[in-house]
Structure formats: structure tokens, C-alpha cells
Amino acid sequence: MDLEKSIMSLADARGVSGDETNAAELALSMLKDYTDDCFIKNGNVIGHFGCKGAKPHILIDAHIDQIGFTVTHITDDGFLKISGCGGIDRRLLLAQPVTVLDKKPLDGVICAIPPHLETDESKVPEMEDICVDVGLTKVSAEEFISLGDKIVFASHCAKLQGDRITGAALDDRCGVASILRALELVKNKPLHGEITVMFSTQEEVGERGAKIGAFDIEPDIAIAVDVSFALTSGDSEVKCGAMGRGCMIGFSPVLDRELSQTFKAMAENRGLPYQIEVMSGTTGTNADRFSVNKHGVKAVTLSIPLKYMHTPVEVISLSDVENTAQLIAAYITEVSA
């Protein structure tokens, strides 16, 4: 498995929350390299491994959706009015190139007033003031674009120096890639427990795919693989991890402390770099849904440090993805034995 290529392919696939088909089908095709028992159900990509019915039943999850926008109106001048789909940072929107996802993708740009004409350069635009220019009249736009169409940032992954990658949707496609890499590592090893892999939908709009997926799967243990904040200039070291220093193992009131400690000990025993991520309440990940599923599930978060979250220029380190995969592989081979 070429980890770098897999991450970039996944991150460049389109899959805004609620319309993840393109990204889900790509992830499913990759998952088929490791099991024939895989499919898409209610939008979630599901794959089964190990011995069905054996205990413990471990769910390993990463969300497949990305933030984006939805077309809400076409003005008389042919501009598109939009709303956010997921946690949009309005500070960075002006003059961004975007792609409207319809039957035929259309390039566009988010409108921006030239600084020469701007009366208040410090103002952060409200979402209702944002328009997308696709270069069409209203009549022409209505031929190609439907209300409810999704829009994404028109950015593609690129290599930075060292082992760094930048691009949109690395949250959480790098988590998907880390799970696939873990499956590669255990490909020829016996798995005595039951393992279910899920690439879930609609995490960015309320962990909805995780909720229905876990209810159907009924795991005993759930591992939510996601991203978390990597330290950048001006950030708080208390709230952020360090890029290149390994997986961030979550400790939170909603997580199972014993499970978090198990991953910590396993990383130490394997000589894998790791960091502790302390959260005082909920985690903001699918683990929040897993922990309260039906009669309750032991849940943990494994997070990959990521800079510039929810922007077109997210940044990750390949070594952190690899070390996360190594930790997942160690757990599912040892605990399910």
C-alpha cells in the first residue's frame, strides 16, 4: 500500500456531508483489497473481518464526509447563494475557488469586494452575504445547477517538505487511510475476535452515520479514528498536539479510561510515539455517539494531528498516519487473540 498516494486520492475525492457517494465508492474499492465482505449501507462503508460472533466485537471507524456548502438560491444576476454544510470558517471564504457538484462539475469563485472598494476590511462576512460566481446568467445557471447541489473547495492535495501533505478533506480521509494501512499490516495475521471497519457519513453535521452504524453493528469496543489540532504559531500547547510526534490517544469523561490506558501501554510497549489528548467533556468525534449506543460501548479516540482544520490547506504528517495505523494493528491482533 502506498500510504501517501492513498491519502491524496481519498482526500481529493468529493464527499460533502449527506452526499458522500464518490468518496465512499473509492474507499469501498480500497477496502475490497482486504475483504470480500464489504458494502455500503445507509451511506456508511462497512467491512467485516475476523470471526463473526466472536468476542470482543471491535468497531474501527473514520468518517468519510467533508465540510462544504449547499446551493440555496440563484439570484437574478446568476450568482449562487449558499449555506454551510459542517463547520465553515467564514474568515477564509472570500475569493476562494470552488467546484459546484452537479452531473457536470462547474468551477466557480466566491465573490470578493476589491480592497480598494471595501469600507471595513476587518469585517467577517455573514454566510447570507456570500455568493458564488460561476460565470453564468440565471437562465444558464438553472440549466446546470439545482438547488441543494453541494459545493466544495477546488483544491487538490500537494506535497510539502519532508513527509507533510496539504489539502482539503484530510479531515478525516487520513483517518480512513490509517485504517486501511492497519488492515495491510494485519493482512496475513489471524484475527480471533470480530472486527468491523466503518467509514461513516455525516460526522460533520452531527455524527449521524456513526449513530445509525453503531446501532446496527452493536460492537463491544469502538475506536474512533479522527484528526485533532496540531500546534501552530500562536496556538495553545495545552489544547494542541505536536505534528510528527505520533497518535493522540484520547482521555475524556465520555471515553473508557481503561481502554485509553490500554492503548497508551501498547504504544509504550511497541516503542510507538504517542501523545495524550485530554478533553474535559465530549470529544467532538464519533466516539460521543458510540459510547451511548444502546446499552453503551467502550470507546476511545485515536487522533492524527492536523494543522488548519476545516480549510482548503489542512496539513498532516505521514509519520503520524503510519504510527496511528501501527497502533490500531497492534490492538486488533493482540486484543482479539
Side-chain angles (χ1 to χ4, degrees):
M1 176 184 177
D2 186 327
L3 183 59
E4 179 184 289
K5 183 179 179 181
S6 296
I7 293 171
M8 295 175 79
S9 295
L10 286 162
D12 283 344
R14 307 307 190 189
V16 179
S17 298
D19 189 15
E20 300 93 342
T21 301
N22 188 29
E25 288 179 347
L26 175 60
L28 178 64
S29 70
M30 294 179 170
L31 191 59
K32 287 180 178 177
D33 289 339
Y34 306 103
T35 179
D36 294 326
D37 189 3
C38 57
F39 47 87
I40 296 176
K41 183 176 183 180
N42 295 322
N44 294 329
V45 181
I46 307 291
H48 294 296
F49 302 83
C51 304
K52 271 198 171 181
K55 295 293 184 178
H57 184 179
I58 302 170
L59 171 63
I60 313 170
D61 165 80
H63 70 86
I64 195 71
D65 61 315
Q66 66 188 107
I67 63 165
F69 310 90
T70 302
V71 178
T72 60
H73 179 66
I74 301 175
T75 72
D76 291 340
D77 297 322
F79 296 107
L80 310 183
K81 302 296 289 187
I82 60 176
S83 63
C85 192
I88 300 295
D89 186 346
R90 303 192 316 278
R91 297 173 302 171
L92 57 83
L93 294 186
L94 300 182
Q96 287 286 353
V98 295
T99 301
V100 183
L101 303 177
D102 196 64
K103 295 178 181 178
K104 180 182 178 181
L106 293 176
D107 291 328
V109 292
I110 295 178
C111 305
I113 298 173
H116 318 71
L117 304 178
E118 182 58 76
T119 57
D120 184 3
E121 294 184 13
S122 64
K123 181 182 177 182
V124 177
E126 298 295 333
M127 189 60 70
E128 54 264 28
D129 298 327
I130 298 293
C131 288
V132 172
D133 185 352
V134 291
L136 298 174
T137 65
K138 181 176 183 178
V139 173
S140 297
E142 289 176 336
E143 292 180 14
F144 297 101
I145 300 167
S146 301
L147 300 187
D149 282 351
K150 296 295 189 289
I151 300 177
V152 293
F153 292 120
S155 62
H156 296 280
C157 283
K159 289 191 64 174
L160 299 180
Q161 300 303 305
D163 73 342
R164 305 285 171 89
I165 295 175
T166 183
L170 291 170
D171 171 12
D172 184 32
R173 308 289 170 72
C174 68
V176 173
S178 72
I179 295 173
L180 292 169
R181 171 60 178 155
L183 295 175
E184 177 81 15
L185 293 170
V186 303
K187 194 170 185 178
N188 298 313
K189 297 180 180 180
L191 299 174
H192 302 287
E194 182 175 2
I195 313 293
T196 298
V197 165
M198 179 168 70
F199 303 139
S200 54
T201 62
Q202 300 187 48
E203 189 270 352
E204 300 290 3
V205 290
E207 300 110 23
R208 294 165 56 84
K211 183 175 182 178
I212 62 173
F215 190 89
D216 186 39
I217 293 165
E218 294 191 83
D220 303 305
I221 294 168
I223 304 167
V225 184
D226 210 321
V227 298
S228 193
F229 308 110
L231 186 67
T232 57
S233 177
D235 286 341
S236 167
E237 293 184 10
V238 175
K239 298 179 180 179
C240 301
M243 185 165 288
R245 295 188 186 176
C247 176
M248 300 168 68
I249 302 171
F251 282 77
S252 162
V254 305
L255 301 177
D256 184 80
R257 185 172 181 82
E258 182 181 356
L259 189 55
S260 298
Q261 292 284 17
T262 297
F263 274 96
K264 178 176 178 288
M266 191 165 287
E268 291 173 349
N269 293 337
R270 293 286 184 121
L272 295 172
Y274 73 93
Q275 306 170 72
I276 298 299
E277 180 179 24
V278 179
M279 294 158 281
S280 59
T282 55
T283 69
T285 73
N286 284 337
D288 299 336
R289 296 292 185 179
F290 298 147
S291 63
V292 294
N293 180 62
K294 288 189 175 179
H295 46 72
V297 175
K298 293 182 177 180
V300 68
T301 57
L302 301 180
S303 297
I304 298 164
L306 175 142
K307 292 181 179 179
Y308 321 126
M309 190 179 295
H310 286 196
T311 75
V313 291
E314 296 174 338
V315 175
I316 59 165
S317 166
L318 279 174
S319 66
D320 291 328
V321 182
E322 173 67 24
N323 285 318
T324 301
Q326 293 278 351
L327 190 54
I328 296 169
Y331 183 79
I332 61 177
T333 52
E334 293 183 21
V335 172
S336 64

